[in-house]
Amino acid sequence: MSDRSDRTFSSNIIALKKGMNAGIPIAVGYFAVSFTLGIAARNAGLNAFQGFLASLLNNASAGEYAGFALIAADATYLEVLLVTLITNARYLLMSFALSQKLSPNTPIHHRLLLGYAVTDEIFGISVSRPGYLNPYYTFGAILIAIPCWAVGTIIGVVAGNVLPLRAVSALSVALYGMFLAVIIPPGRKDKILTVLVIVSFVLSFISEKLPPLAHMSAGTRTIFLTVILSGLAAILFPVSKKEVDVTDES
């Protein structure tokens, strides 16, 4: 029994170290992106501690940016809740997929901790592990990546308060770069997705001028357009099982 416990402990330590190594490049990328998010948090009126908590508890670039934009627009709590939920809905699917990689004997507290830190990148390195996923591998990546995400947000808020206004405005442009980096790679692979992104931009602009949408708050318009466009895309351009299998293998 003791030998078995020792082997399990050693296996977990090895998995933890491998996860920490895999988390280093993720952490570097997270720091750069969360820095720009910190500037967005500062522009929304959040202080460094509030920005730190937002990043530590959310771990979501697009979701946090949407939340900060709504806070800056004086949106209601319900609007922030709904937009954040919709923006982060893909993590529900990732969590379902990751749960299939876990041994049936995986404790519930391990599953909950994995669910807390499911991000695109951490999900990617975790789900690609051969066989059952040792949760300590993902825990190692979390230990390195998530603190950098939260600390980067603090530094972004502080830098936004210290740097001249022109410098902050210039750095805020990085947010648009971040979203281009999110949109362009999948858009180059899928022309339908590119068209949907362009249509969403056009409808967003028109909705600001067209009654009765123009009378809605910015947050409510975002929710309305997101649900309508996503629903139409799912009906008109459903993703076949074959396409999903090809994506998983790539």
Side-chain angles (χ1 to χ4, degrees):
M1 184 67 180
S2 178
D3 290 342
R4 183 178 178 184
S5 298
D6 290 343
R7 286 197 300 272
T8 301
F9 179 78
S10 298
S11 174
N12 291 340
I13 292 297
I14 292 172
L16 186 73
K17 290 179 178 177
K18 288 183 177 178
M20 293 175 73
N21 287 331
I24 291 174
I26 296 175
V28 173
Y30 277 5
F31 183 85
V33 173
S34 61
F35 180 87
T36 59
L37 274 176
I39 292 176
R42 178 258 186 193
N43 292 338
L46 275 66
N47 60 35
F49 179 69
Q50 291 168 333
F52 168 77
L53 276 185
S55 282
L56 187 66
L57 299 177
N58 280 279
N59 306 322
S61 57
E64 284 185 49
Y65 178 75
F68 294 151
L70 288 172
I71 292 172
D74 290 329
T76 65
Y77 288 123
L78 181 60
E79 289 172 339
V80 175
L81 173 66
L82 290 176
V83 169
T84 305
L85 180 63
I86 293 171
T87 308
N88 293 333
R90 67 185 188 281
Y91 296 126
L92 297 174
L93 301 178
M94 292 183 189
S95 297
F96 290 149
L98 198 59
S99 68
Q100 304 304 306
K101 288 283 295 180
L102 298 174
S103 164
N105 299 322
T106 303
I108 185 64
H109 60 280
H110 284 181
R111 294 174 181 269
L112 291 175
L113 185 54
L114 290 173
Y116 153 73
V118 169
T119 66
D120 301 63
E121 296 77 16
I122 291 177
F123 168 78
I125 63 170
S126 299
V127 80
S128 61
R129 299 291 295 171
Y132 280 133
L133 170 68
N134 186 328
Y136 282 85
Y137 176 82
T138 306
F139 295 160
I142 293 172
L143 282 174
I144 298 296
I146 299 304
C148 282
W149 180 258
V151 171
T153 306
I154 293 179
I155 296 176
V157 174
V158 173
N161 289 325
V162 173
L163 293 175
L165 182 59
R166 288 185 177 181
V168 173
S169 299
L171 288 171
S172 298
V173 175
L175 284 170
Y176 299 100
M178 179 188 74
F179 275 94
L180 288 176
V182 171
I183 293 171
I184 290 177
R188 294 176 65 181
K189 297 179 182 177
D190 190 336
K191 299 302 180 187
I192 293 176
L193 182 60
T194 302
V195 172
L196 288 172
V197 170
I198 295 173
V199 169
S200 69
F201 286 163
V202 173
L203 290 181
S204 180
F205 174 77
I206 293 175
S207 67
E208 292 185 1
K209 315 292 181 184
L210 186 69
L213 294 177
H215 300 302
M216 296 179 180
S217 68
T220 303
R221 277 201 307 272
T222 301
I223 296 171
F224 180 78
L225 291 176
T226 301
V227 172
I228 294 297
L229 282 174
S230 301
L232 288 176
I235 294 172
L236 298 175
F237 311 106
V239 179
S240 66
K241 187 177 184 304
K242 182 179 179 182
E243 289 176 294
V244 174
D245 292 340
V246 170
T247 303
D248 289 342
E249 291 169 2
S250 63

